[in-house]
């Protein structure tokens, strides 16, 4: 009898057998999503293959309840890809398959008509005005013509965002002429929307913006079919777009590849988008381009070892134009340390305001005070769910956990010892806003952080700031990276030391990447101010000179001594259970086993040599 091998999207690394519905050929079910019963639960699953078993009388097999798709949607690449993900990221085959084929997609009520013959409204105007740009384009196009896998690291040293996009456009135009599909991945949603508008004017109906979490299941299915039937030839999106079901992939561009926070997925399956893109391009004999103003050490090391091709994108004509002044401001005396703004920083801000120029001030702590403590028994108020310090917010006075969002009123007396001596520590962005309003009374100031801004008016605010309705923008670093602002004349990074000394071996790398990026917001005669108590730090001085190579050489010496990546690989193993005793027991079995310790020693020894 013929049975179907069904992959259930749960952490179960094996197939389950089900019987096909009566009067339906099993061959016609393979490659589609189906509805099945697992125990007492009904769920969606994938029909992977069929198998003939001689004797199944001893098996109590269930029938497939419903076939969800009109046509097969699982191809051989999806199966090979899922095997790769399952092997490399420690998950089940079916869980990996849900990355490429969302299990929750729903068919629309009406049939979707696909129009594969849609023609692109494409201009043939050549935008590149620099000979080196033409060289870069010709080099990548030559690789595309060879129809073999190739990986490029495009180190954007001093080229503007607009010129970089023009290079993308020229390469994508060639890909479309070859009747292949191009994909562009960006680090932030606002960049996707901005680039989509630009590319839509050039390529018309051939472009699609890949869905995000807010898109409905029906819209997901429509978009899925448009891409799978090759009705759309340019896919643009954030990291989830890398899983789009493409049949004839020719190019993947990863913009700002150094954005580890964005391109590394840290939930459920901890995959790296760069690795996924390289695997898919290798599968299709396509080309992957990793672009960055400050490349990640792992990829830059691969480029130096000639595992991937390095292209340095430099424009000598605009070298001064896109190399803004970076000034280091340190405290003059111990009294200055008691203030959020140093005297030199205040002086620079005042000069810019006199010229009626716009300023961005970055401060990376939310709230008014970061720690609330009893002065008598030293009890620190922590979140009961997260065990981290609750932050004090003003207007109204509330304690809030910035991790889970729980809120409680500020206590007048200590819950533990009934003392009224409450002490407050650590400045927050609300206190900085208060101080700025006192010092610059005539200036319009806007605080732009996760607690104030909402999705409904974030784009409206962006427009208001760009038309110079506000003089000073006070923001956290994360919020600044999520939105696009036209060039400002001054960006102040307060307390830059906090970014340098967290418990993270990549801290200095992230700091230099951040400073290099924000310098692109600055006007021609603008300034970036780094307010620090450690002006002699090598990372700060390399960032000031925009000297990535010197920073790379110095940092790699520390990495080698401490045996950090890229000199080794780091894995994270998490053991979870509802019972603490079982976690401890499994920990001992796994981590203290002789076999595990021997393998770990051998691998570390190989890396050292």
């Amino acid at each position: 009898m013929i049975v179907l091998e069904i992959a259930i999207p749960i952490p179960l690394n094996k197939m389950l057998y089900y019987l096909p519905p009566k009067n339906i050929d099993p061959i016609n079910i393979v490659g589609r999503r189906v509805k099945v019963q697992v125990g007492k639960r009904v769920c969606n699953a994938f029909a992977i293959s069929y198998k003939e078993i001689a004797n199944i009388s001893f098996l109590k097999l269930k029938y497939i309840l419903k076939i969800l798709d009109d046509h097969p949607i699982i191809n051989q690449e999806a199966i090979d890809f899922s095997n790769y993900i399952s092997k490399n990221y420690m998950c089940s085959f079916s869980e990996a398959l849900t990355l490429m084929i969302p299990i929750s997609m729903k068919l629309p009520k009406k049939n979707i008509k696909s129009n594969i013959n849609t023609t692109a409204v494409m201009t043939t105007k050549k935008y590149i005005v620099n000979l080196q740009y033409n060289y870069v384009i010709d080099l990548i196009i030559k690789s595309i013509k060879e129809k073999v896998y190739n990986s490029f690291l495009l180190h954007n040293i001093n080229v503007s965002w607009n010129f970089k996009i023009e290079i993308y456009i020229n390469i994508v135009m060639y890909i479309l002429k070859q009747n292949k599909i191009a994909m562009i991945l960006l680090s932030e949603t606002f960049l996707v929307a901005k680039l989509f508008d630009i590319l839509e004017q050039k390529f018309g109906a051939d472009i699609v913006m890949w869905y995000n979490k807010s898109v409905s299941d029906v819209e997901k299915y429509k978009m899925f079919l448009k891409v799978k039937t090759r009705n759309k030839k340019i896919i643009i999106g954030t990291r989830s777009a890398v899983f789009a079901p493409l049949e004839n992939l020719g190019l993947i561009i990863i913009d700002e590849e150094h954005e580890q926070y964005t391109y590394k997925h840290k939930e459920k399956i901890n995959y790296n988008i760069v690795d996924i893109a390289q695997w898919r391009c290798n599968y299709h004999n396509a080309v992957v381009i990793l672009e960055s103003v400050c490349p990640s050490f792992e990829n830059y090391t691969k480029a130096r070892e000639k595992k991937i091709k390095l292209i340095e994108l430099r424009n000598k004509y605009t070298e001064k134009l896109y190399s803004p002044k970076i000034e280091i401001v340190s405290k003059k005396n111990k009294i200055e340390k008691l203030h959020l703004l140093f005297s030199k920083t205040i002086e620079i801000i005042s000069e810019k305001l006199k010229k009626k120029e716009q300023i961005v001030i970055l401060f990376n702590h939310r709230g008014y005070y970061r720690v609330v403590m009893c002065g008598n028994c030293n009890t620190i108020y922590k979140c009961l769910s997260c065990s981290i310090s609750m932050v004090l917010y003003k207007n109204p006075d509330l304690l809030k956990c910035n991790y889970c969002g729980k809120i409680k009123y500020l206590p007048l007396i200590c819950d533990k010892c009934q003392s009224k001596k409450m002490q407050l520590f650590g400045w927050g962005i609300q206190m900085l806003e208060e101080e700025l309003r006192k010092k610059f009374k005539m200036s319009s100031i806007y605080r732009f952080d996760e607690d104030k801004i909402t999705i409904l008016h974030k784009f409206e605010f962006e427009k208001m700031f760009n038309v110079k309705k506000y003089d000073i923008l006070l923001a956290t670093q994360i919020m600044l990276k999520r939105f696009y602002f036209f060039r400002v004349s001054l960006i102040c990074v307060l307390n830059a030391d906090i970014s340098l000394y967290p418990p993270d071996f990549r801290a200095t790398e992230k700091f230099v990447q951040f400073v290099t990026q924000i310098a692109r917001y600055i006007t021609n005669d603008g300034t970036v101010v780094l307010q620090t108590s450690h002006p002699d730090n090598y990372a700060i001085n390399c960032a000031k000179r925009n000297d990535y190579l010197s920073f790379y050489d110095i940092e790699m010496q520390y990495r080698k001594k401490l045996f950090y990546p890229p000199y080794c690989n780091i894995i994270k193993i998490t053991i979870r259970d509802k019972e603490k005793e079982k976690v401890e027991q499994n920990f001992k079995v796994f981590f203290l086993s002789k076999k595990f310790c021997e393998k770990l020693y051998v691998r570390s020894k190989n890396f050292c040599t």
Side-chain angles (χ1 to χ4, degrees):
M1 183 176 283
I2 294 177
V3 297
L4 284 157
E5 291 186 313
I6 304 297
I8 313 294
I10 57 175
L12 181 67
N13 217 5
K14 67 177 183 179
M15 304 290 178
L16 299 182
Y17 291 153
Y18 282 84
L19 296 172
K22 293 179 180 179
N23 303 323
I24 297 181
D25 190 345
I27 298 175
N28 295 329
I29 303 175
V30 172
R32 307 186 193 193
R33 292 175 304 138
V34 294
K35 194 177 286 292
V36 297
Q37 185 175 352
V38 184
K40 295 182 179 180
R41 185 166 61 100
V42 175
C43 64
N44 295 348
F46 302 104
I48 303 300
S49 62
Y50 65 91
K51 191 175 184 180
E52 189 167 349
I53 299 178
N55 183 16
I56 62 169
S57 58
F58 64 95
L59 296 174
K60 294 182 180 180
L61 298 182
K62 297 177 181 178
Y63 283 92
I64 289 173
L65 301 177
K66 186 179 180 182
I67 301 170
L68 299 176
D69 300 306
D70 296 332
H71 305 282
I73 60 174
I74 304 170
N75 58 13
Q76 188 59 44
E77 184 195 0
I79 293 173
D80 294 341
F81 169 79
S82 300
N83 284 322
Y84 162 77
I85 293 289
S86 176
K87 181 180 177 181
N88 285 272
Y89 296 102
M90 300 295 289
C91 65
S92 68
F93 170 86
S94 53
E95 286 178 308
L97 189 56
T98 58
L99 294 173
M100 186 170 281
I101 303 172
I103 195 70
S104 61
M105 293 188 304
K106 292 181 181 178
L107 275 72
K109 294 180 180 179
K110 296 181 180 180
N111 293 329
I112 301 171
K113 295 181 180 179
S114 61
N115 183 15
I116 301 175
N117 296 320
T118 303
T119 56
V121 182
M122 190 166 61
T123 60
T124 57
K125 182 179 177 181
K126 194 154 180 88
Y127 292 89
I128 307 305
V129 294
N130 186 289
L131 290 176
Q132 196 215 359
Y133 296 169
N134 289 327
Y135 167 75
V136 170
I137 292 170
D138 292 341
L139 186 65
I140 295 172
I141 287 177
K142 182 182 177 182
S143 179
I144 295 170
K145 287 179 180 178
E146 293 172 355
K147 296 182 179 179
V148 294
Y149 165 71
N150 230 323
S151 182
F152 293 90
L153 177 61
L154 191 61
H155 185 191
N156 181 0
I157 295 174
N158 61 354
V159 173
S160 70
W161 193 84
N162 290 332
F163 279 1
K164 176 182 73 175
I165 297 305
E166 288 165 6
I167 291 175
Y168 293 173
I169 289 173
N170 278 266
I171 297 170
V172 169
M173 285 171 66
Y174 180 80
I175 288 291
L176 295 193
K177 288 177 184 177
Q178 303 301 307
N179 199 28
K180 292 187 176 182
I181 294 174
M183 178 188 296
I184 303 177
L185 305 178
L186 296 109
S187 57
E188 300 293 344
T189 307
F190 82 93
L191 287 174
V192 174
K194 184 187 176 188
L195 184 57
F196 179 83
D197 292 338
I198 295 171
L199 295 183
E200 193 177 31
Q201 295 176 8
K202 309 296 178 187
F203 301 105
D206 270 353
I207 185 170
V208 63
M209 191 189 305
W210 194 248
Y211 62 77
N212 52 38
K213 292 180 180 179
S214 61
V215 175
S216 68
D217 291 337
V218 173
E219 288 299 320
K220 283 182 184 179
Y221 195 87
K222 289 181 180 179
M223 205 174 295
F224 183 89
L225 283 189
K226 284 178 182 178
V227 173
K228 191 167 181 62
T229 56
R230 297 180 66 184
N231 195 11
K232 300 295 180 181
K233 296 179 181 178
I234 305 171
I235 292 89
I236 178 172
T238 51
R239 66 183 176 207
S240 62
V242 78
F243 302 111
L246 308 178
E247 297 288 346
N248 193 18
L249 181 63
L251 172 72
I252 295 180
I253 297 173
I254 301 181
D255 191 69
E256 297 180 353
E257 62 82 22
H258 61 270
E259 290 286 359
Q260 301 286 332
Y261 179 81
T262 304
Y263 289 130
K264 279 190 176 180
H265 191 262
K266 297 180 181 180
E267 299 174 7
K268 203 172 185 179
I269 305 175
N270 298 336
Y271 55 80
N272 187 332
I273 287 300
V274 174
D275 295 338
I276 302 297
Q278 289 174 335
W279 186 92
R280 294 203 69 183
C281 286
N282 189 29
Y283 189 91
H284 288 272
N285 288 323
V287 169
V288 59
I289 300 173
L290 311 175
E291 185 277 335
S292 176
V293 296
C294 197
S296 64
F297 275 32
E298 286 82 358
N299 287 323
Y300 195 75
T301 302
K302 288 178 183 177
R304 280 198 163 186
E305 294 172 352
K306 297 185 178 180
K307 293 179 180 178
I308 58 179
K309 294 183 179 180
L310 175 64
I311 302 176
E312 291 187 339
L313 194 58
R314 185 194 300 271
N315 188 347
K316 64 181 180 180
Y317 301 107
T318 60
E319 190 159 1
K320 292 183 180 179
L321 185 66
Y322 296 110
S323 298
K325 178 183 177 184
I326 298 178
E327 188 168 341
I328 299 173
V329 175
S330 58
K331 64 180 185 295
K332 292 182 178 180
N333 49 56
K334 292 182 179 180
I335 298 174
E336 277 209 329
K337 196 174 181 180
L338 301 175
H339 298 279
L340 288 169
L341 294 167
F342 295 169
S343 57
K344 180 63 176 176
T345 307
I346 295 171
E347 183 183 324
I348 296 171
I349 292 173
S350 300
E351 288 176 3
K352 295 295 182 182
L353 289 175
K354 285 178 183 178
K355 296 178 183 179
K356 295 184 178 180
E357 294 176 344
Q358 285 183 297
I359 299 163
V360 174
I361 299 176
L362 300 178
F363 191 65
N364 232 21
H365 292 295
R366 294 159 62 184
Y368 197 87
Y369 281 109
R370 303 201 308 272
V371 179
V372 178
M373 186 180 78
C374 173
N376 185 48
C377 66
N378 296 331
T379 298
I380 295 175
Y381 281 83
K382 295 182 179 181
C383 176
L384 296 177
S385 301
C386 310
S387 297
I388 62 173
S389 299
M390 300 190 81
V391 177
L392 173 63
Y393 284 83
K394 287 285 188 178
N395 301 320
D397 292 349
L398 293 171
L399 291 177
K400 181 181 176 182
C401 174
N402 285 337
Y403 190 79
C404 70
K406 286 189 177 179
I407 294 174
K408 65 182 291 186
Y409 288 104
L410 177 67
L412 298 176
I413 59 173
C414 177
D415 298 336
K416 193 173 182 180
C417 67
Q418 308 302 311
S419 172
K420 294 183 179 181
K421 296 178 181 179
M422 305 302 290
Q423 295 182 342
L424 307 171
F425 300 98
W427 300 308
I429 197 169
Q430 286 186 335
M431 178 181 281
L432 178 58
E433 180 185 15
E434 195 175 274
E435 187 173 328
L436 285 169
R437 293 190 185 280
K438 289 177 182 177
K439 290 186 181 296
F440 307 105
K441 296 179 181 179
M442 302 302 293
S443 302
S444 56
I445 301 170
Y446 193 90
R447 175 167 56 85
F448 187 68
D449 63 2
E450 295 90 326
D451 301 301
K452 188 170 184 180
I453 203 79
T454 63
I455 296 174
L456 294 174
H457 71 280
K458 62 185 178 183
F459 294 111
E460 184 183 344
F461 160 74
E462 181 183 326
K463 189 185 293 183
M464 286 191 295
F465 185 79
N466 287 332
V467 297
K468 298 189 176 182
K469 188 172 180 180
Y470 298 107
D471 300 316
I472 300 175
L473 170 66
L474 179 59
T476 56
Q477 291 181 12
I478 292 175
M479 294 305 291
L480 183 73
K481 290 169 69 175
R482 288 180 182 173
F483 300 94
Y484 178 77
F485 300 105
F486 296 140
R487 292 178 160 245
V488 295
S489 61
L490 176 64
I491 295 180
C492 299
V493 182
L494 305 187
N495 208 352
D497 308 302
I498 292 175
S499 301
L500 286 171
Y501 301 110
D504 182 0
F505 71 90
R506 288 194 178 94
T508 52
E509 181 184 354
K510 291 176 181 177
F511 174 80
V512 174
Q513 288 169 347
F514 176 72
V515 173
T516 306
Q517 274 190 296
I518 64 171
R520 302 300 172 99
Y521 287 107
I522 296 294
T523 53
N524 305 348
D525 58 344
T527 307
V528 175
V529 170
L530 302 178
Q531 187 174 279
T532 175
S533 300
H534 301 86
D536 298 327
N537 184 283
Y538 70 96
I540 291 178
N541 283 281
C542 288
K544 178 184 178 180
R545 301 192 306 269
N546 192 23
D547 189 356
Y548 174 80
L549 293 180
S550 296
F551 169 70
Y552 174 85
D553 291 335
I554 296 170
E555 182 67 16
M556 285 292 280
Q557 292 176 19
Y558 292 121
R559 299 273 182 102
K560 189 174 184 178
K561 288 178 182 178
L562 298 169
F563 193 49
Y564 281 143
Y567 291 102
C568 73
N569 289 332
I570 292 179
I571 62 171
K572 177 185 176 183
I573 300 173
T574 305
I575 298 176
R576 293 191 182 97
D577 199 284
K578 292 180 180 179
E579 299 179 17
K580 184 180 177 180
E581 292 75 16
K582 286 187 178 180
V583 171
E584 292 175 349
Q585 183 182 352
N586 290 331
F587 171 82
K588 291 177 182 177
V589 170
F590 185 81
F591 288 99
L592 302 181
S593 66
K594 185 179 179 181
K595 188 176 180 180
F596 175 78
C597 293
E598 286 175 351
K599 283 188 175 182
L600 191 64
Y601 172 75
V602 171
R603 288 185 65 83
S604 62
K605 190 176 180 181
N606 290 338
F607 276 119
C608 287
T609 55

